[in-house]
Amino acid sequence: MKIGVCVKVAPDTDTRIKISGDGAGIEESGIKWIVSPYDSFGIEEAVQTQEAQGGEVILFSAGPKDWQTQLRAGGLAVGAERAVIVDDPALAGTDPLGIARVLAAGIASEGCELVFTGKQAIDDDNVQVPAMVAELLGWPHVSFVTDFSTDGSTFTATRNVGGGTQEVVTGSLPVVITAERGLNTPRYAKLPAIMKAKRKKVDVKSLGDLDLSADDITPAVQLTNFSLPPERPAGRKLEGDVDTMVQELVRLLREEAKVI
Amino acid sequence: MSGILVIAEHEGGSFKKTAAELLGKATELAAALGTTVSAAVLGDAPATELGAFGASKVYQVPGDFSSYDTDRVVAGLQAALEAASPDAVLASASFLGKDAMPRLVARLGGGQASECTELRVDGGTLVGRRPLYAGKAFADARITRSPAVFTVRPNSFGQPEAGSGGAEVVEVSAELPEPRITLVEQKTPERDDVDLSEAERIVSGGRSLKSEDNFDSVVRPLAKSLGATAGASRAAVDAGYAPHGDQVGQTGKTVNPQLYIALGISGAIQHLAGMRTSKVIVAVNTDPDAPIFEHATYGLVADLFEVAPKLQAAFESLD
Ligand SMILES: Cc1cc2nc3c(=O)[nH]c(=O)nc-3n(C[C@H](O)[C@H](O)[C@H](O)COP(=O)(O)OP(=O)(O)OC[C@H]3O[C@@H](n4cnc5c(N)ncnc54)[C@H](O)[C@@H]3O)c2cc1C
Ligand SMILES: Nc1ncnc2c1ncn2[C@@H]1O[C@H](COP(=O)(O)O)[C@@H](O)[C@H]1O
């Protein structure tokens, strides 16, 4: 079975974001780039599935070919077999549906039967691409999955549907599964595997290689006017012993902030 | 094409709070645009009630939506959208908003701006302001193809006052597909608090709680005394003091309450990412230099084990 994983490379979670001078985006210099953390859960689940069922794990990325550094360290070194990166200038300005078109075309061209993604990318926080990929492929999808198993033709998944409620669902492959925290604990790469990953195959493709053109991924969503979060009004440290502080806090919450 | 369509979610026939919240905002935006507000409702619910919050028409799709099935929800909403052909669609960034809306957008070839915390009219169109990088940056989103879907983070806008009008209900029939996914079991936790992502008050505990017992005897009762939901830092979750689902932060839940009380939480950037839009933040920490104090509306440099019981007693004695 060919198992696909959609992998995005994003700024490390402890990055302090700076806005570029023109407000058109963020300052990218000096950022440490990592595999988006939820995608690591997707990679781990794909590798575990491959270990149980056989087959091959293929990583798919729509982004610059430089992402191969992170794909090797965070994917090929932990059990994925190879990676396909679609790199094209038109990708920089596209939107989630454009990205989904590219990923779906890549997945279809490899004939995958099961695809894992992260539940959300930690840079744009869209929570859109996986459901869109599934729609374009004509497959069902299951969102926010914390437990997964498959026998190679059917699957069982547990999903978080909000309010702390979990649902156990079943269905047939093919399917897109979006990984939620708790699905598994991603393994660390061992040194020999890291060395071996350097020789694994990374195919860099253009839109044309997938029979797509820039027109197919014209964005419908435009982001402008980037800024840092609004400053919070300066906070106040309360004074006195614990009893005094508690009393004062309750008063402030009632009378000043009016939230209780 | 005209108007703003609100996806009004309900649970077994009672509309969720977000339905009124979105209709209230839609009414304000529609006035600025000189257009009208309608709503889409799947299944059995008292649709005419939505008139009280400003919907002039409700497109109601009959059918069994009692258990959530993505394909059926998408097909139902597609029918409602085709009947309404709105300029813009507002939906909550709920499970449905995250699971079904992008699928619908892909089917119809439109665009979506996720988790907006502000909506405004600019140059005759709707603009959503939304957090990115886990709230470390914000940007304006404009959508140039139809359907233009804006999902909204719960509690971003206030609850509108209910008016008196009823809405005209238009029944829209949809061909609902056979489900491809089968529900086997639903596990609902035995708790009476509100989901973190929708909670208006949250009390969170960190690593400093030191044990699950302490978490259960200090954080949860304090939360309860306020009608709040309990949350946790990742350090507390990783140490097993609280379940995964309670984690607030960049790789946990994003929350947007009126009041967020952080007990013994240092304020790491990944934690702040999940709660920095809270209206009021209270921090209790023994370390006066803890980064959380830079973001706290009210800070108490104190031992949480001393503060929590006293605060709880004070909350319990409020009328
Ligand atoms: C990829 C990645 C993703 C992450 N995602 C998240 C996330 O989603 N959410 C999250 O929370 N973290 C996340 N983290 C972890 C984050 O970096 C911090 O490690 C974590 O938030 C720290 O939790 P804490 O504040 O409980 O613990 P600590 O940082 O250890 O802080 C404990 C605090 O308690 C105070 N204290 C001690 N005793 C007392 C007492 N008796 N009374 C009062 N105060 C006391 C201390 O002064 C200290 O400030 C992530 C990290 C990484 C690398
Ligand atoms: N450019 C991309 N390349 C590969 N996978 C992506 C890309 N963008 C999004 N994804 C996948 O879709 C998931 C959700 O992303 P998003 O919808 O952007 O929040 C991510 O966790 C990835 O698995």
Side-chain angles (χ1 to χ4, degrees):
Chain A
M1 170 162 54
K2 281 190 182 177
I3 307 169
V5 191
C6 297
V7 183
K8 191 171 190 189
V9 172
D12 198 353
T13 57
D14 56 14
T15 307
R16 293 210 175 266
I17 299 294
K18 296 191 200 94
I19 306 300
S20 63
D22 54 0
I26 65 157
E27 198 72 69
E28 296 207 337
S29 60
I31 285 179
K32 182 181 162 212
W33 299 90
I34 58 166
V35 166
S36 187
Y38 295 105
D39 301 5
S40 296
F41 301 129
I43 293 169
E44 176 63 32
E45 201 62 23
V47 171
Q48 287 184 16
T49 305
Q50 181 269 329
E51 286 166 348
Q53 298 290 330
E56 180 186 40
V57 174
I58 310 169
L59 311 178
F60 294 92
S61 285
K65 62 178 185 304
D66 295 351
W67 283 5
Q68 62 179 290
T69 311
Q70 287 77 17
L71 295 185
R72 285 186 199 279
L76 301 181
V78 293
E81 190 53 41
R82 57 197 174 89
V84 177
I85 301 182
V86 185
D87 183 357
D88 199 282
L91 284 168
T94 192
D95 64 359
L97 186 52
I99 295 289
R101 284 197 206 288
V102 172
L103 293 171
I107 290 162
S109 76
E110 290 286 352
C112 296
E113 289 165 78
L114 172 61
V115 166
F116 293 96
T117 71
K119 76 155 179 175
Q120 110 188 48
I122 63 152
D123 49 5
D124 56 38
D125 291 320
N126 278 320
V127 198
Q128 293 185 34
V129 171
M132 289 176 159
V133 168
E135 172 67 22
L136 296 171
L137 290 167
W139 301 5
H141 74 275
V142 185
S143 299
F144 315 151
V145 170
T146 56
D147 193 48
F148 177 82
S149 64
T150 178
D151 59 12
S153 61
T154 63
F155 71 88
T156 303
T158 303
R159 66 180 173 194
N160 280 348
V161 296
T165 301
Q166 296 212 311
E167 289 183 353
V168 182
V169 298
T170 59
S172 298
L173 301 184
V175 68
V176 173
I177 298 290
T178 93
E180 170 72 285
R181 187 175 151 71
L183 178 60
N184 53 46
T185 308
R187 68 194 72 185
Y188 286 102
K190 301 205 178 72
L191 194 57
I194 295 172
M195 300 312 290
K196 209 173 129 202
K198 295 197 167 134
R199 294 188 304 273
K200 286 187 172 173
K201 195 163 146 214
V202 177
D203 279 324
V204 179
K205 297 194 171 175
S206 67
L207 286 181
D209 292 335
L210 294 169
D211 289 329
L212 289 170
S213 73
D215 287 346
D216 295 318
I217 61 166
T218 315
V221 186
Q222 261 123 26
L223 295 177
T224 55
N225 208 6
F226 280 69
S227 73
L228 293 177
E231 285 284 328
R232 298 187 70 88
R236 177 171 354 158
K237 279 202 186 121
L238 309 187
E239 309 278 340
D241 61 16
V242 170
D243 287 300
T244 315
M245 284 193 286
V246 165
Q247 255 179 21
E248 179 65 358
L249 176 63
V250 174
R251 189 189 69 77
L252 289 166
L253 291 177
R254 287 206 109 177
E255 292 170 16
E256 187 180 81
K258 299 195 171 72
V259 289
I260 58 172
Chain B
M1 285 216 316
S2 73
I4 301 176
L5 179 75
V6 168
I7 311 295
E9 288 184 56
H10 63 91
E11 239 168 44
S14 340
F15 285 104
K16 294 199 192 172
K17 258 178 44 194
T18 50
E21 182 184 348
L22 293 177
L23 282 167
K25 190 67 185 181
T27 306
E28 190 187 309
L29 296 165
L33 286 166
T35 183
T36 54
V37 176
S38 58
V41 172
L42 299 181
D44 209 9
T48 162
E49 277 180 12
L50 296 175
F53 299 106
S56 54
K57 256 188 199 169
V58 180
Y59 298 90
Q60 186 162 26
V61 184
D64 182 9
F65 294 95
S66 53
S67 83
Y68 181 94
D69 179 70
T70 309
D71 289 336
R72 291 168 71 87
V73 167
V74 172
L77 292 177
Q78 181 182 357
L81 255 70
E82 282 166 356
S85 77
D87 295 318
V89 179
L90 308 189
S92 171
S94 59
F95 179 73
L96 181 151
K98 293 171 178 171
D99 180 79
M101 294 313 285
R103 201 161 176 131
L104 179 62
V105 167
R107 184 167 304 175
L108 301 175
Q112 175 175 323
S114 300
E115 303 240 8
C116 299
T117 52
E118 281 173 51
L119 291 171
R120 64 174 203 275
V121 174
D122 190 352
T125 57
L126 220 56
V127 179
R129 188 130 184 102
R130 60 172 302 254
L132 293 100
Y133 301 94
K136 292 179 223 169
F138 280 75
D140 284 346
R142 283 184 173 72
I143 305 176
T144 53
R145 278 201 305 266
S146 181
V149 173
F150 297 84
T151 71
V152 174
R153 186 174 288 179
N155 297 338
S156 292
F157 316 122
Q159 287 285 314
E161 298 275 333
S164 54
E168 178 199 344
V169 179
V170 181
E171 204 177 282
V172 178
S173 60
E175 210 166 299
L176 301 177
E178 277 306 305
R180 292 183 284 185
I181 304 281
T182 312
L183 178 63
V184 188
E185 191 192 344
Q186 198 173 43
K187 301 183 223 172
T188 307
E190 282 184 41
R191 48 199 281 185
D192 43 16
D193 53 7
V194 184
D195 183 32
L196 271 177
S197 14
E198 291 178 19
E200 287 190 19
R201 295 171 183 173
I202 293 170
V203 178
S204 281
R207 189 201 309 272
S208 49
L209 265 302
K210 292 202 184 74
S211 72
E212 185 180 4
D213 281 352
N214 285 342
F215 204 94
D216 288 345
S217 63
V218 176
V219 179
R220 295 192 193 280
L222 177 59
K224 194 152 194 231
S225 72
L226 249 188
T229 301
S233 72
R234 167 147 160 199
V237 168
D238 284 350
Y241 309 160
H244 280 318
D246 287 358
Q247 183 180 318
V248 172
Q250 184 154 10
T251 51
K253 296 231 165 81
T254 303
V255 301
N256 193 23
Q258 294 284 309
L259 174 60
Y260 188 91
I261 302 184
L263 299 175
I265 291 179
S266 59
I269 192 164
Q270 296 94 346
H271 189 79
L272 291 169
M275 45 65 78
R276 68 192 316 155
T277 58
S278 307
K279 182 166 169 241
V280 173
I281 297 174
V282 174
V284 181
N285 198 305
T286 42
D287 174 6
D289 298 323
I292 187 85
F293 285 124
E294 288 162 37
H295 303 268
T297 326
Y298 306 120
L300 286 74
V301 181
D303 186 333
L304 77 93
F305 291 103
E306 280 180 56
V307 172
K310 292 189 166 153
L311 201 51
Q312 185 181 331
F315 288 148
E316 278 164 355
S317 67
L318 291 177
D319 38 78

